[in-house]
Amino acid sequence: MASDESPRPAAKPRKLRERLYVGNGAFDVVGKRKRWYVFFAVLMLVCIASIVFRGFNLGIDFEGGTRISMPAQGANGEISTEQVTDVFSDTLGREPATVQVVGSGESSTIQIRSETLNSREVADLREALFSDFQPLNDSGQPSEQAISDSAVSASWGGEISQQALIALAVFLVLVTIFLAVYFEKWMAVGALAALIHDVVVTAGVYSIVGFEVTPATVIGLLTILGFSLYDTVVVFDKVKENTRGLLGLTRRTYAEAANLALNQTLMRSINTSLIAVLPIIGLLVVGVGLLGVGTLQDLALVQLTGILAGALSSIALATPILVDLKMTDQKYKDQARRVHARRENLARKAAAEQDATGQVEVEVEDEFDASDDDALAAELRKEKAMAAASSVPARNPKPAESGRRKQGGRPGGKHGGRPTGKKRH
């Protein structure tokens, strides 16, 4: 008994894995698109609410302020961020914005970011930091010169944001033109909807979690748009291939052909996303965990969030939106009605056969199979052949003409009608 039941649990994973890799319609994404719409709507509402009411944790580059840096190694050993925070609070009577360690080992430094300090406050803070920690310079000697300070203007961050918005607008315009020309207008609309979702969700995650927004964050946000667009274009290209000549067929509706395209590109989308995420995880682990580089952290976090959101939107949002927009066209509505009418006719035929013989006897070529690509290709070839045959009139040669062709063009001879050059006597 155990030997008979042992292979059954292993058969299900193999079957699911086979359907996943083959892409024969294992997942009905388009058919359940209303559920996906609800999910994306809730997700975007949460993100927008957080952006409006909670806001962003803007870095010093956007709000302006003072940055103070000093080595993390002092005369009494390694300096911790908690010690620096206590000295800052005792000296100035308020908390710093951020205190973090950048780098690792002997080259590590401590960066203090705060609101704008006047020259007297900066001098008092530098004196207190040197008195308590005596940071070491490059020669290994305690020196107050090892502590540096700089003022950051908020206008610099504003200029970066302005340039980023201009770049985003130009990118969206060029993408819309490209998709409308290469594909069609509704595919351009679906791709833009997915891009907007990616931007809103990524920004919302930063607002919810409270990540600091820096110029590196803005740059990373622009880079994820290209990845999301690439994944969407791959899916749309397969949709375009599957729906070519669809209006003349009655085997699939547009929604079914689009869902089949999603399944056929699903593993490619998943593998591409995984490959893209791996180096980003490496940036987080090595750049942040080992080296402590804050810039890498800002860049890696926005890219990780954006890639995951982009992969999800290209699969479950862009194509469903495309299907709903296409189904507003009367031609595709009529084609869908013909498909359903054909299936109802087949069902009635199967029921009649079952009543007459006690079993279903329907020709295999008439049964509908959403994954039957070979049958669809054969049907397309058959229609093309019939169209070609109907456009060229048939011509049957006369018996005499047929005989001349067989004998070289001359009745009773082999060499046709060419003169031999000999005279007859």
Side-chain angles (χ1 to χ4, degrees):
M1 189 71 178
S3 61
D4 294 335
E5 294 180 355
S6 57
R8 291 180 183 176
K12 291 183 178 178
R14 283 198 299 268
K15 184 177 180 181
L16 178 60
R17 184 169 61 250
E18 180 182 357
R19 295 176 69 190
L20 186 63
Y21 275 90
V22 173
N24 56 359
F27 304 98
D28 189 13
V29 178
V30 175
K32 299 178 180 178
R33 56 187 179 275
K34 291 184 179 180
R35 300 180 184 179
W36 286 108
Y37 289 159
V38 173
F39 169 77
F40 285 116
V42 172
L43 180 61
M44 292 188 67
L45 285 176
V46 171
C47 293
I48 293 174
S50 179
I51 293 172
V52 173
F53 297 105
R54 181 182 176 88
F56 295 102
N57 180 20
L58 297 177
I60 189 175
D61 299 304
F62 292 95
E63 291 186 332
T66 301
R67 181 190 289 114
I68 297 176
S69 300
M70 68 176 186
Q73 301 294 329
N76 299 324
E78 187 174 355
I79 306 170
S80 66
T81 57
E82 291 80 7
Q83 293 173 327
V84 174
T85 301
D86 293 339
V87 171
F88 188 99
S89 302
D90 295 340
T91 304
L92 302 180
R94 56 183 181 273
E95 295 287 333
T98 59
V99 179
Q100 63 179 1
V101 178
V102 178
S104 61
E106 297 180 356
S107 61
S108 61
T109 61
I110 292 180
Q111 289 189 356
I112 308 171
R113 295 181 179 181
S114 69
E115 60 185 23
T116 303
L117 305 177
N118 56 40
S119 58
R120 181 61 185 172
E121 291 174 330
V122 172
D124 292 343
L125 182 59
R126 292 184 58 172
E127 182 179 354
L129 291 173
F130 178 75
S131 175
D132 288 3
F133 305 117
Q134 296 185 352
L136 305 179
N137 58 16
D138 296 337
S139 302
Q141 300 296 324
S143 173
E144 188 175 351
Q145 301 301 322
I147 305 174
S148 61
D149 63 273
S150 60
V152 180
S153 174
S155 60
W156 186 70
E159 292 176 0
I160 292 179
S161 301
Q162 182 180 3
Q163 296 298 323
L165 291 176
I166 294 175
L168 178 61
V170 173
F171 175 80
L172 293 178
V173 171
L174 293 178
V175 165
T176 304
I177 295 174
F178 166 76
L179 292 177
V181 173
Y182 184 76
F183 291 111
E184 55 176 287
K185 61 179 181 179
W186 294 136
M187 288 187 176
V189 174
L192 286 179
L195 288 177
I196 293 173
H197 162 270
D198 300 339
V199 174
V200 172
V201 170
T202 304
V205 168
Y206 262 75
S207 175
I208 294 172
V209 180
F211 294 154
E212 187 179 38
V213 179
T214 64
T217 305
V218 178
I219 295 172
L221 185 63
L222 295 177
T223 60
I224 65 173
L225 299 179
F227 176 86
S228 175
L229 179 65
Y230 165 77
D231 208 9
T232 303
V233 167
V234 169
V235 177
F236 280 177
D237 190 65
K238 192 63 178 178
V239 172
K240 181 180 178 182
E241 178 182 344
N242 285 4
T243 57
R244 187 179 292 114
L246 186 69
L247 293 176
L249 303 176
T250 57
R251 185 172 294 275
R252 295 188 184 100
T253 64
Y254 189 91
E256 292 166 347
N259 187 75
L260 180 60
L262 274 178
N263 282 266
Q264 290 171 336
T265 57
L266 182 60
M267 282 310 303
R268 177 172 181 174
S269 300
I270 294 176
N271 292 334
T272 303
S273 302
L274 289 177
I275 293 173
V277 164
L278 288 178
I280 296 176
I281 295 177
L283 283 178
L284 287 173
V285 174
V286 178
V288 180
L290 299 180
L291 301 179
V293 181
T295 303
L296 292 180
Q297 172 183 340
D298 300 334
L299 188 61
L301 287 175
V302 67
Q303 288 187 336
L304 180 62
T305 306
I307 286 177
L308 296 178
L312 184 61
S313 65
S314 64
I315 295 173
L317 183 61
T319 304
I321 290 178
L322 169 65
V323 170
D324 281 332
L325 293 175
K326 291 291 288 187
M327 293 309 295
T328 59
D329 192 339
Q330 188 62 38
K331 294 183 297 184
Y332 289 95
K333 291 181 180 179
D334 295 339
Q335 190 268 346
R337 280 195 291 267
R338 292 195 300 270
V339 171
H340 295 308
R342 176 176 178 268
R343 295 177 188 172
E344 292 175 358
N345 185 31
L346 291 176
R348 286 193 298 269
K349 182 179 178 181
E353 292 287 341
Q354 186 175 13
D355 292 340
T357 62
Q359 58 182 358
V360 181
E361 295 181 357
V362 182
E363 294 183 1
V364 177
E365 63 180 5
D366 287 336
E367 293 180 355
F368 174 74
D369 183 1
S371 63
D372 190 3
D373 288 331
D374 294 335
L376 179 60
E379 187 171 335
L380 287 173
R381 290 194 298 270
K382 181 179 178 181
E383 291 182 356
K384 291 180 180 179
M386 293 177 63
S390 62
S391 62
V392 179
R395 182 171 178 267
N396 297 322
K398 297 180 180 180
E401 183 179 355
S402 177
R404 284 197 301 269
R405 289 180 179 177
K406 292 180 180 181
Q407 298 176 4
R410 175 180 168 186
K414 294 183 179 181
H415 304 289
R418 292 187 303 172
T420 60
K422 297 182 179 179
K423 294 181 180 181
R424 290 184 179 181
H425 298 284

